[in-house]
Amino acid sequence: GAAAAAEGINKDGVAVLVSLDGWRADNLNGVLAHRPCPVQVSALGHRGTFGDAASVQLLLSGRVSAPPEMRHLYAERLLYLPLGHAPPLASRRPAGPAGAAPRAGEGEEGERAA
């Protein structure tokens, strides 16, 4: 289970653990709760806070999905990705003007790269 996985990660000396799960039904967040690494990061699986700074210290996000003025609502420290939470993918955009490719330096959320 989660305790055995966390023990293995810790034994292997992993310094940074990145979770892409978020809060899916089959997530592995129980491993994070055992705190097997010094630095644990939540990325892409969930745009909101993990809710527990002891389990997850950093959240990779975008300035649109997690505005800087809302940082106080997050348990984690926010690290902003230059192209936003989700990088642009042509397959995600609808055809036509509304789905036009972002301008240079913009991500799917219309965020400007820093």
Side-chain angles (χ1 to χ4, degrees):
E7 184 178 337
I9 291 167
N10 186 272
K11 272 186 176 178
D12 287 343
V14 175
V16 178
L17 183 62
V18 179
S19 170
L20 302 175
D21 280 349
W23 288 104
R24 297 180 331 183
D26 58 347
N27 69 62
L28 298 175
N29 293 338
V31 174
L32 297 172
H34 287 280
R35 187 76 200 221
C37 298
V39 178
Q40 298 185 160
V41 182
S42 179
L44 304 177
H46 178 63
R47 291 180 187 220
T49 183
F50 189 80
D52 179 10
S55 294
V56 175
Q57 297 79 48
L58 304 169
L59 172 65
L60 296 182
S61 192
R63 293 182 193 282
V64 170
S65 57
E69 62 272 14
M70 304 302 270
R71 286 183 184 181
H72 66 282
L73 299 175
Y74 290 81
E76 311 83 354
R77 179 175 161 217
L78 299 175
L79 296 178
Y80 292 110
L81 298 168
L83 293 179
H85 179 265
L89 295 174
S91 62
R92 289 189 190 171
R93 289 192 295 269
R103 293 176 298 209
E106 287 188 354
E108 185 173 303
E109 297 179 309
E111 299 175 355
R112 296 295 302 162

XYZ file of all heavy atoms in Angstrom:
818
model
N 0.802 -1.177 0.000
C 0.000 0.000 0.000
C 0.856 1.257 0.000
O 2.023 1.277 -0.394
N 0.230 2.328 0.433
C 0.854 3.645 0.423
C 2.093 3.699 1.312
O 3.108 4.294 0.946
C -0.149 4.702 0.865
N 2.033 3.049 2.480
C 3.176 3.078 3.400
C 4.384 2.378 2.794
O 5.508 2.878 2.886
C 2.797 2.434 4.728
N 4.160 1.248 2.137
C 5.265 0.507 1.511
C 5.854 1.301 0.351
O 7.080 1.349 0.182
C 4.779 -0.859 1.040
N 4.994 1.930 -0.438
C 5.477 2.745 -1.559
C 6.303 3.917 -1.036
O 7.384 4.217 -1.556
C 4.309 3.249 -2.384
N 5.804 4.581 0.004
C 6.523 5.715 0.590
C 7.871 5.273 1.147
O 8.879 5.961 0.990
C 5.681 6.368 1.684
N 7.914 4.127 1.778
C 9.163 3.610 2.325
C 10.173 3.344 1.211
O 11.352 3.682 1.332
C 8.908 2.330 3.116
C 10.152 1.793 3.787
C 9.880 0.539 4.615
O 8.719 0.327 5.021
O 10.839 -0.219 4.828
N 9.716 2.773 0.116
C 10.597 2.513 -1.025
C 11.135 3.791 -1.637
O 12.316 3.881 -1.981
N 10.283 4.793 -1.775
C 10.702 6.092 -2.323
C 11.750 6.714 -1.410
O 12.773 7.228 -1.863
C 9.479 7.021 -2.485
C 8.570 6.502 -3.598
C 9.905 8.458 -2.751
C 7.204 7.147 -3.645
N 11.512 6.655 -0.111
C 12.445 7.207 0.854
C 13.776 6.472 0.821
O 14.840 7.095 0.829
C 11.838 7.173 2.255
C 12.705 7.868 3.261
O 13.588 7.250 3.840
N 12.448 9.147 3.447
N 13.735 5.141 0.768
C 14.973 4.333 0.707
C 15.790 4.657 -0.519
O 17.015 4.629 -0.486
C 14.632 2.841 0.692
C 14.503 2.222 2.035
C 14.318 0.731 1.871
C 14.289 0.038 3.207
N 14.052 -1.406 3.055
N 15.103 4.950 -1.639
C 15.798 5.270 -2.884
C 16.412 6.663 -2.867
O 17.126 7.040 -3.794
C 14.848 5.150 -4.079
C 14.518 3.707 -4.418
O 15.242 2.798 -3.959
O 13.520 3.492 -5.139
N 16.120 7.446 -1.834
C 16.708 8.779 -1.705
C 16.143 9.809 -2.660
O 16.820 10.766 -3.012
N 14.900 9.624 -3.067
C 14.270 10.593 -3.962
C 14.156 11.930 -3.232
O 13.665 11.986 -2.107
C 12.870 10.093 -4.415
C 12.157 11.146 -5.238
C 12.998 8.782 -5.181
N 14.629 12.995 -3.856
C 14.624 14.314 -3.220
C 13.354 15.102 -3.502
O 12.889 15.855 -2.662
C 15.840 15.114 -3.676
N 12.798 14.924 -4.704
C 11.593 15.658 -5.101
C 10.600 14.675 -5.699
O 10.916 13.956 -6.640
C 11.912 16.766 -6.134
C 10.641 17.492 -6.565
C 12.936 17.746 -5.580
N 9.396 14.655 -5.151
C 8.332 13.788 -5.641
C 7.244 14.670 -6.241
O 6.745 15.585 -5.587
C 7.753 12.956 -4.500
C 6.668 11.947 -4.853
C 7.198 10.891 -5.807
C 6.141 11.294 -3.586
N 6.915 14.429 -7.517
C 5.902 15.216 -8.208
C 4.681 14.341 -8.451
O 4.775 13.305 -9.100
C 6.439 15.767 -9.547
C 5.354 16.573 -10.272
C 7.675 16.621 -9.314
N 3.554 14.780 -7.918
C 2.294 14.062 -8.110
C 1.517 14.701 -9.249
O 1.284 15.904 -9.261
C 1.451 14.120 -6.838
O 0.147 13.632 -7.116
N 1.101 13.873 -10.200
C 0.268 14.337 -11.305
C -1.170 13.868 -11.119
O -2.001 14.052 -11.998
C 0.829 13.813 -12.636
C 2.266 14.205 -12.940
C 2.737 13.531 -14.227
C 2.427 15.702 -13.044
N -1.453 13.260 -9.981
C -2.755 12.650 -9.726
C -3.881 13.623 -9.422
O -5.006 13.435 -9.876
C -2.674 11.684 -8.528
C -2.101 10.351 -8.890
O -1.957 10.063 -10.089
O -1.807 9.583 -7.971
N -3.635 14.608 -8.600
C -4.724 15.449 -8.133
C -5.641 14.636 -7.228
O -5.186 13.806 -6.449
N -6.928 14.830 -7.362
C -7.888 14.125 -6.506
C -8.718 13.122 -7.298
O -9.890 12.916 -7.016
C -8.783 15.135 -5.786
C -8.033 15.872 -4.728
C -7.577 17.140 -4.789
C -7.626 15.357 -3.454
N -6.901 17.465 -3.633
C -6.925 16.380 -2.794
C -7.777 14.122 -2.811
C -6.391 16.226 -1.520
C -7.249 13.976 -1.544
C -6.562 15.024 -0.923
N -8.113 12.467 -8.296
C -8.813 11.412 -9.048
C -9.198 10.299 -8.086
O -8.604 10.140 -7.021
C -7.900 10.804 -10.115
C -7.445 11.731 -11.170
C -6.551 11.013 -12.143
N -5.841 9.903 -11.488
C -4.950 9.138 -12.059
N -4.635 9.329 -13.304
N -4.353 8.170 -11.415
N -10.143 9.491 -8.495
C -10.610 8.393 -7.642
C -9.488 7.404 -7.312
O -9.435 6.862 -6.217
C -11.769 7.671 -8.314
N -8.583 7.182 -8.232
C -7.513 6.199 -8.018
C -6.167 6.870 -7.729
O -5.119 6.346 -8.075
C -7.403 5.278 -9.230
C -7.135 6.029 -10.528
O -7.277 7.272 -10.554
O -6.783 5.379 -11.521
N -6.192 8.034 -7.071
C -4.954 8.777 -6.809
C -4.053 8.052 -5.804
O -4.478 7.135 -5.120
C -5.268 10.201 -6.326
C -5.876 10.236 -4.947
O -5.244 9.813 -3.979
N -7.089 10.719 -4.835
N -2.819 8.519 -5.758
C -1.822 7.963 -4.834
C -1.455 8.984 -3.754
O -0.332 9.012 -3.265
C -0.583 7.519 -5.614
C -0.833 6.410 -6.633
C 0.420 6.128 -7.451
C -1.317 5.147 -5.950
N -2.399 9.812 -3.380
C -2.133 10.854 -2.387
C -1.764 10.289 -1.018
O -1.116 10.963 -0.223
C -3.323 11.802 -2.277
C -3.516 12.607 -3.549
O -2.586 12.767 -4.331
N -4.715 13.090 -3.762
N -2.144 9.055 -0.745
C -1.763 8.414 0.508
C -0.254 8.303 0.646
O 0.290 8.378 1.749
N 0.434 8.154 -0.479
C 1.902 8.102 -0.461
C 2.443 9.451 -0.003
O 3.351 9.519 0.833
C 2.462 7.723 -1.851
C 3.977 7.806 -1.878
C 1.995 6.333 -2.263
N 1.877 10.536 -0.520
C 2.320 11.879 -0.137
C 2.116 12.121 1.355
O 2.932 12.784 2.003
C 1.562 12.939 -0.934
C 1.760 12.934 -2.448
C 0.805 13.910 -3.110
C 3.196 13.247 -2.811
N 1.043 11.592 1.895
C 0.748 11.782 3.319
C 1.820 11.182 4.218
O 2.036 11.645 5.336
C -0.612 11.175 3.652
N 2.561 10.186 3.722
C 3.653 9.573 4.494
C 4.932 10.394 4.419
O 5.917 10.074 5.082
C 3.915 8.143 4.008
C 2.859 7.184 4.429
N 2.825 6.641 5.691
C 1.786 6.693 3.771
C 1.781 5.836 5.789
N 1.128 5.863 4.639
N 4.926 11.416 3.570
C 6.048 12.352 3.447
C 7.390 11.643 3.179
O 8.354 11.790 3.931
C 6.090 13.183 4.716
C 7.026 14.301 4.784
C 6.570 15.485 3.996
N 7.795 16.231 3.808
C 7.917 17.508 3.881
N 6.889 18.207 4.020
N 9.063 18.076 3.755
N 7.466 10.882 2.065
C 8.694 10.146 1.782
C 9.856 10.999 1.268
O 10.994 10.543 1.267
C 8.267 9.146 0.712
C 7.129 9.797 0.018
C 6.421 10.595 1.077
N 9.584 12.233 0.841
C 10.622 13.104 0.262
C 10.650 14.454 0.965
O 9.648 14.917 1.482
C 10.312 13.370 -1.207
S 10.303 11.908 -2.208
N 11.805 15.111 0.905
C 11.898 16.442 1.501
C 11.017 17.472 0.778
O 10.499 18.389 1.392
C 13.367 16.822 1.381
C 14.090 15.629 0.896
C 13.093 14.618 0.436
N 10.855 17.318 -0.538
C 10.050 18.253 -1.323
C 9.022 17.458 -2.116
O 9.378 16.553 -2.860
C 10.916 19.090 -2.290
C 10.058 20.017 -3.130
C 11.967 19.875 -1.521
N 7.742 17.822 -1.944
C 6.662 17.150 -2.659
C 5.838 18.209 -3.381
O 5.498 19.237 -2.814
C 5.828 16.314 -1.695
C 6.677 15.246 -1.059
C 5.923 14.282 -0.167
O 6.433 13.219 0.083
N 4.758 14.600 0.333
N 5.539 17.927 -4.649
C 4.930 18.894 -5.544
C 3.663 18.317 -6.157
O 3.640 17.153 -6.548
C 5.918 19.255 -6.688
C 5.336 20.307 -7.616
C 7.261 19.697 -6.138
N 2.635 19.131 -6.262
C 1.420 18.757 -6.987
C 1.430 19.514 -8.302
O 1.665 20.723 -8.324
C 0.177 19.114 -6.168
O -0.996 18.772 -6.884
N 1.187 18.811 -9.397
C 1.232 19.449 -10.707
C 0.229 18.825 -11.663
O 0.144 17.602 -11.760
C 2.637 19.311 -11.297
N -0.497 19.649 -12.330
C -1.360 19.297 -13.458
C -2.583 18.454 -13.139
O -3.588 18.563 -13.805
C -0.547 18.616 -14.572
C 0.638 19.422 -15.093
C 1.408 18.622 -16.121
C 0.207 20.749 -15.675
N -2.550 17.599 -12.141
C -3.694 16.739 -11.863
C -4.878 17.486 -11.283
O -6.021 17.075 -11.433
N -4.608 18.611 -10.618
C -5.671 19.365 -9.962
C -5.236 20.812 -9.866
O -4.136 21.097 -9.402
C -5.917 18.779 -8.567
C -6.951 19.479 -7.775
N -8.268 19.550 -8.168
C -6.881 20.159 -6.610
C -8.956 20.227 -7.257
N -8.134 20.606 -6.309
N -6.068 21.726 -10.287
C -5.700 23.147 -10.281
C -5.810 23.788 -8.911
O -5.237 24.832 -8.666
C -6.571 23.918 -11.260
C -6.286 23.565 -12.684
C -7.172 24.362 -13.607
N -7.001 23.886 -14.965
C -6.957 24.656 -16.019
N -7.094 25.951 -15.884
N -6.795 24.150 -17.208
N -6.549 23.191 -8.016
C -6.746 23.774 -6.697
C -5.711 23.312 -5.695
O -4.816 22.521 -6.002
N -5.847 23.774 -4.485
C -4.923 23.418 -3.420
C -5.058 21.945 -3.039
O -6.148 21.372 -3.102
C -5.134 24.305 -2.177
O -4.167 23.969 -1.195
C -6.528 24.175 -1.601
N -3.970 21.355 -2.660
C -3.993 19.996 -2.116
C -4.605 20.050 -0.725
O -5.206 19.108 -0.254
C -2.568 19.430 -2.082
C -2.496 17.975 -1.749
C -2.743 17.019 -2.716
C -2.184 17.564 -0.470
C -2.686 15.673 -2.401
C -2.116 16.223 -0.147
C -2.372 15.271 -1.122
N -4.414 21.189 -0.062
C -5.036 21.423 1.229
C -4.197 21.049 2.429
O -4.627 21.219 3.560
N -2.996 20.557 2.205
C -2.168 20.085 3.316
C -0.706 20.398 3.018
O -0.044 19.665 2.298
C -2.375 18.586 3.495
C -1.536 17.982 4.601
O -0.916 18.740 5.373
O -1.485 16.751 4.691
N -0.206 21.496 3.564
C 1.173 21.906 3.308
C 2.192 20.929 3.871
O 3.343 20.918 3.456
C 1.420 23.301 3.865
N 1.799 20.089 4.805
C 2.719 19.081 5.332
C 2.957 17.981 4.297
O 4.030 17.397 4.237
C 2.166 18.483 6.620
N 1.962 17.704 3.467
C 2.090 16.651 2.456
C 2.621 17.175 1.132
O 3.393 16.505 0.458
C 0.736 15.977 2.209
O 0.308 15.292 3.345
N 2.181 18.353 0.735
C 2.586 18.945 -0.542
C 3.002 20.385 -0.279
O 2.201 21.193 0.185
C 1.429 18.904 -1.571
C 1.817 19.621 -2.845
C 1.028 17.471 -1.870
N 4.252 20.706 -0.590
C 4.769 22.041 -0.308
C 4.632 23.001 -1.486
O 4.589 24.207 -1.297
C 6.248 21.985 0.096
C 6.514 21.227 1.366
C 6.502 19.723 1.132
O 7.114 19.218 0.213
N 5.772 19.014 1.972
N 4.610 22.459 -2.694
C 4.602 23.306 -3.884
C 3.493 22.882 -4.835
O 3.215 21.693 -4.993
C 5.941 23.203 -4.623
C 7.185 23.543 -3.805
C 8.442 23.153 -4.558
C 7.210 25.022 -3.479
N 2.868 23.872 -5.496
C 1.851 23.609 -6.498
C 2.261 24.318 -7.775
O 2.427 25.542 -7.786
C 0.485 24.131 -6.028
C -0.644 24.095 -7.049
C -0.991 22.658 -7.421
C -1.869 24.821 -6.510
N 2.470 23.543 -8.848
C 2.748 24.138 -10.151
C 1.414 24.594 -10.717
O 0.462 23.818 -10.780
C 3.390 23.126 -11.097
C 4.765 22.609 -10.702
C 5.292 21.657 -11.766
C 5.735 23.740 -10.491
N 1.340 25.856 -11.127
C 0.060 26.397 -11.554
C 0.252 27.482 -12.590
O 1.360 27.734 -13.050
C -0.695 26.940 -10.336
O -2.020 27.218 -10.677
N -0.851 28.120 -12.929
C -0.855 29.251 -13.842
C -1.453 30.456 -13.154
O -2.201 30.324 -12.185
N -1.146 31.629 -13.657
C -1.622 32.867 -13.029
C -3.124 33.091 -13.229
O -3.712 33.884 -12.518
C -0.835 34.055 -13.555
C 0.618 34.014 -13.125
C 1.382 35.234 -13.629
N 2.804 35.037 -13.486
C 3.476 35.148 -12.345
N 2.829 35.455 -11.242
N 4.773 34.958 -12.300
N -3.734 32.391 -14.175
C -5.174 32.503 -14.366
C -5.888 31.539 -13.436
O -6.838 31.909 -12.747
C -5.566 32.242 -15.839
C -7.064 32.106 -16.004
C -5.034 33.359 -16.728
N -5.435 30.308 -13.377
C -6.103 29.308 -12.524
C -5.810 29.509 -11.039
O -6.587 29.085 -10.193
C -5.729 27.885 -12.961
O -4.346 27.693 -12.941
N -4.703 30.166 -10.713
C -4.367 30.461 -9.312
C -3.766 31.872 -9.257
O -2.556 32.043 -9.182
C -3.375 29.444 -8.772
N -4.619 32.895 -9.322
C -4.127 34.278 -9.351
C -3.259 34.617 -8.140
O -3.550 34.174 -7.023
C -5.410 35.114 -9.328
C -6.494 34.199 -9.762
C -6.074 32.829 -9.326
N -2.192 35.374 -8.345
C -1.302 35.744 -7.241
C -2.039 36.367 -6.052
O -1.683 36.119 -4.905
C -0.330 36.749 -7.869
C -0.314 36.389 -9.323
C -1.705 35.909 -9.631
N -3.079 37.142 -6.313
C -3.810 37.771 -5.210
C -4.635 36.767 -4.399
O -5.173 37.102 -3.347
C -4.695 38.920 -5.710
C -5.774 38.516 -6.682
C -5.332 38.519 -8.150
O -4.128 38.579 -8.441
O -6.222 38.449 -9.002
N -4.705 35.524 -4.850
C -5.437 34.479 -4.133
C -4.496 33.497 -3.425
O -4.930 32.486 -2.895
C -6.348 33.723 -5.101
C -7.321 34.615 -5.848
S -8.385 35.548 -4.753
C -9.720 34.441 -4.581
N -3.204 33.797 -3.399
C -2.216 32.895 -2.776
C -2.585 32.502 -1.358
O -2.300 31.406 -0.921
C -0.831 33.538 -2.762
C -0.174 33.567 -4.085
C 1.212 34.153 -3.984
N 1.765 34.230 -5.323
C 2.949 34.676 -5.598
N 3.728 35.099 -4.634
N 3.377 34.715 -6.825
N -3.205 33.404 -0.646
C -3.549 33.143 0.758
C -4.545 31.988 0.907
O -4.701 31.449 1.997
C -4.098 34.410 1.411
C -5.406 34.873 0.837
N -5.498 35.553 -0.357
C -6.669 34.723 1.292
C -6.769 35.810 -0.607
N -7.503 35.322 0.379
N -5.203 31.587 -0.162
C -6.164 30.485 -0.118
C -5.510 29.115 -0.332
O -6.176 28.097 -0.229
C -7.250 30.695 -1.175
C -8.080 31.972 -1.009
C -9.037 32.127 -2.177
C -8.825 31.944 0.313
N -4.231 29.093 -0.631
C -3.514 27.857 -0.933
C -2.621 27.454 0.227
O -1.922 28.282 0.803
C -2.672 28.027 -2.203
C -3.520 28.134 -3.441
C -4.116 29.333 -3.801
C -3.750 27.023 -4.242
C -4.918 29.429 -4.921
C -4.547 27.116 -5.362
C -5.128 28.320 -5.698
O -5.923 28.400 -6.805
N -2.629 26.179 0.542
C -1.735 25.655 1.585
C -0.298 25.612 1.069
O 0.643 25.789 1.828
C -2.193 24.257 2.014
N -0.152 25.364 -0.233
C 1.173 25.210 -0.835
C 1.733 26.559 -1.299
O 0.996 27.516 -1.494
C 1.105 24.316 -2.094
C 0.389 23.039 -1.934
C -1.121 23.165 -2.091
O -1.664 24.275 -2.217
O -1.768 22.119 -2.062
N 3.020 26.567 -1.543
C 3.652 27.701 -2.216
C 3.364 27.520 -3.700
O 3.531 26.423 -4.248
C 5.154 27.695 -1.953
C 5.871 28.817 -2.633
C 7.337 28.837 -2.241
N 8.049 29.599 -3.217
C 9.258 29.315 -3.647
N 9.913 28.292 -3.132
N 9.839 30.054 -4.543
N 2.922 28.577 -4.372
C 2.598 28.499 -5.792
C 3.831 28.775 -6.638
O 4.533 29.762 -6.419
C 1.504 29.506 -6.142
C 0.166 29.316 -5.429
C -0.776 30.452 -5.765
C -0.446 27.980 -5.789
N 4.071 27.903 -7.593
C 5.139 28.102 -8.576
C 4.457 28.217 -9.929
O 3.801 27.272 -10.377
C 6.112 26.920 -8.583
C 6.903 26.697 -7.310
C 7.779 25.464 -7.450
C 7.757 27.910 -7.000
N 4.591 29.371 -10.572
C 3.891 29.613 -11.821
C 4.652 29.116 -13.032
O 5.836 29.410 -13.193
C 3.577 31.097 -11.957
C 2.566 31.564 -10.945
C 2.929 32.404 -9.908
C 1.251 31.127 -11.014
C 1.995 32.826 -8.972
C 0.315 31.533 -10.078
C 0.693 32.376 -9.069
O -0.230 32.784 -8.142
N 3.960 28.368 -13.866
C 4.514 27.897 -15.127
C 4.414 29.034 -16.140
O 3.404 29.751 -16.169
C 3.741 26.677 -15.625
C 3.808 25.468 -14.695
C 2.791 24.413 -15.123
C 5.203 24.887 -14.706
N 5.421 29.224 -16.980
C 5.420 30.361 -17.898
C 4.263 30.346 -18.898
O 3.815 31.395 -19.332
C 6.768 30.285 -18.606
C 7.313 28.951 -18.311
C 6.641 28.436 -17.078
N 3.761 29.185 -19.270
C 2.664 29.115 -20.238
C 1.335 28.774 -19.576
O 0.389 28.363 -20.237
C 2.979 28.086 -21.334
C 4.140 28.447 -22.243
C 4.383 27.349 -23.269
C 3.900 29.773 -22.938
N 1.251 28.889 -18.280
C 0.009 28.602 -17.597
C -0.062 27.174 -17.102
O 0.870 26.387 -17.251
N -1.192 26.830 -16.525
C -1.402 25.517 -15.914
C -1.332 24.403 -16.946
O -0.764 23.351 -16.708
C -2.746 25.492 -15.199
C -3.061 24.192 -14.557
N -3.804 23.234 -15.183
C -2.708 23.669 -13.364
C -3.912 22.185 -14.393
N -3.259 22.433 -13.274
N -1.949 24.619 -18.093
C -1.967 23.598 -19.146
C -1.355 24.185 -20.408
O -1.856 25.179 -20.925
C -3.400 23.145 -19.406
N -0.278 23.598 -20.900
C 0.341 24.121 -22.117
C -0.618 23.993 -23.299
O -1.489 23.125 -23.296
C 1.583 23.251 -22.305
C 1.337 22.045 -21.490
C 0.394 22.412 -20.402
N -0.482 24.853 -24.295
C -1.394 24.788 -25.433
C -1.232 23.489 -26.210
O -0.123 23.044 -26.480
C -0.996 25.996 -26.280
C 0.359 26.376 -25.832
C 0.514 25.891 -24.421
N -2.349 22.891 -26.517
C -2.376 21.689 -27.347
C -3.417 21.892 -28.426
O -4.582 22.161 -28.122
C -2.745 20.453 -26.520
C -1.746 20.033 -25.442
C -2.312 18.879 -24.620
C -0.435 19.615 -26.074
N -3.019 21.748 -29.674
C -3.947 21.960 -30.780
C -5.162 21.050 -30.660
O -6.276 21.441 -30.991
C -3.231 21.737 -32.104
N -4.979 19.846 -30.133
C -6.090 18.900 -30.043
C -7.136 19.325 -29.027
O -8.262 18.850 -29.047
C -5.569 17.509 -29.692
O -4.948 17.546 -28.418
N -6.826 20.244 -28.123
C -7.773 20.701 -27.110
C -8.606 21.887 -27.580
O -9.606 22.208 -26.981
C -7.040 21.130 -25.832
C -6.462 20.013 -25.081
C -5.979 20.563 -23.768
N -5.195 19.567 -23.075
C -4.510 19.806 -21.997
N -4.514 21.016 -21.473
N -3.816 18.880 -21.409
N -8.150 22.581 -28.606
C -8.840 23.787 -29.043
C -9.889 23.460 -30.094
O -9.643 22.674 -31.000
C -7.830 24.775 -29.606
C -6.957 25.392 -28.538
C -6.188 26.573 -29.092
N -5.241 26.176 -30.112
C -3.977 25.850 -29.867
N -3.520 25.861 -28.647
N -3.179 25.514 -30.839
N -11.045 24.101 -30.004
C -12.050 23.905 -31.049
C -11.600 24.568 -32.338
O -10.761 25.470 -32.321
C -13.284 24.596 -30.483
C -12.760 25.587 -29.495
C -11.483 24.987 -28.952
N -12.144 24.122 -33.439
C -11.806 24.717 -34.731
C -12.395 26.115 -34.813
O -13.388 26.422 -34.169
C -12.346 23.841 -35.858
N -11.801 26.969 -35.613
C -12.336 28.307 -35.828
C -11.628 29.364 -35.020
O -10.694 29.070 -34.282
N -12.076 30.605 -35.131
C -11.415 31.731 -34.472
C -11.271 31.562 -32.963
O -10.260 31.918 -32.403
C -12.314 32.921 -34.801
C -13.067 32.514 -36.016
C -13.215 31.018 -35.934
N -12.286 31.011 -32.306
C -12.193 30.848 -30.846
C -11.090 29.883 -30.467
O -10.555 29.945 -29.379
C -13.525 30.359 -30.276
N -10.744 28.990 -31.366
C -9.712 28.004 -31.077
C -8.376 28.322 -31.712
O -7.502 27.480 -31.798
N -8.225 29.551 -32.156
C -6.970 29.937 -32.803
C -5.804 29.749 -31.849
O -5.951 29.868 -30.636
C -7.056 31.393 -33.257
N -4.662 29.467 -32.408
C -3.456 29.253 -31.593
C -3.146 30.512 -30.787
O -3.372 31.631 -31.251
C -2.278 28.908 -32.495
N -2.646 30.340 -29.564
C -2.295 31.514 -28.763
C -1.144 32.276 -29.387
O -0.354 31.716 -30.142
C -1.888 30.918 -27.419
C -1.561 29.507 -27.698
C -2.362 29.096 -28.896
N -1.066 33.568 -29.067
C 0.057 34.359 -29.547
C 1.332 33.866 -28.887
O 1.289 33.220 -27.843
C -0.160 35.826 -29.207
C -1.328 36.433 -29.965
C -1.547 37.837 -29.508
N -1.897 37.794 -28.090
C -2.658 38.666 -27.477
N -3.153 39.664 -28.130
N -2.936 38.573 -26.200
N 2.454 34.185 -29.468
C 3.745 33.783 -28.910
C 3.831 34.200 -27.453
O 3.508 35.326 -27.098
C 4.881 34.412 -29.707
N 4.211 33.274 -26.594
C 4.377 33.563 -25.183
C 3.128 33.350 -24.357
O 3.133 33.552 -23.165
N 2.020 32.944 -24.975
C 0.792 32.705 -24.233
C 0.504 31.221 -24.143
O 0.785 30.467 -25.059
C -0.407 33.381 -24.903
C -0.422 34.867 -24.735
C -1.713 35.475 -25.247
O -2.536 34.746 -25.822
O -1.881 36.676 -25.073
N -0.070 30.801 -23.045
C -0.480 29.420 -22.870
C -1.961 29.259 -23.155
O -2.632 30.191 -23.594
N -2.480 28.092 -22.901
C -3.875 27.795 -23.166
C -4.812 28.705 -22.391
O -5.889 29.041 -22.842
C -4.158 26.335 -22.808
C -5.563 25.916 -23.160
C -5.763 24.451 -22.961
O -5.022 23.669 -23.559
O -6.670 24.103 -22.202
N -4.403 29.132 -21.223
C -5.234 29.993 -20.402
C -5.118 31.457 -20.805
O -5.715 32.314 -20.185
C -4.846 29.851 -18.926
C -5.079 28.471 -18.386
C -4.658 28.374 -16.944
O -3.532 28.756 -16.620
O -5.474 27.903 -16.128
N -4.338 31.750 -21.843
C -4.171 33.131 -22.282
C -3.220 33.899 -21.403
O -3.215 35.114 -21.403
N -2.380 33.205 -20.668
C -1.436 33.858 -19.761
C -0.202 34.289 -20.525
O 0.246 33.617 -21.420
C -1.037 32.892 -18.658
C -2.205 32.457 -17.828
C -1.838 31.406 -16.819
O -0.689 30.934 -16.825
O -2.692 31.072 -15.999
N 0.319 35.402 -20.129
C 1.578 35.882 -20.711
C 2.739 35.227 -19.998
O 2.737 35.117 -18.783
C 1.701 37.397 -20.572
C 0.663 38.182 -21.326
C 0.744 38.050 -22.835
N 2.034 38.453 -23.326
C 2.497 38.118 -24.526
N 1.793 37.382 -25.333
N 3.673 38.513 -24.922
N 3.701 34.778 -20.760
C 4.903 34.197 -20.161
C 5.651 35.297 -19.407
O 5.693 36.437 -19.828
C 5.798 33.614 -21.251
N 6.213 34.918 -18.267
C 6.956 35.892 -17.445
C 8.276 36.229 -18.060
O 8.858 35.541 -18.810
C 7.157 35.322 -16.048
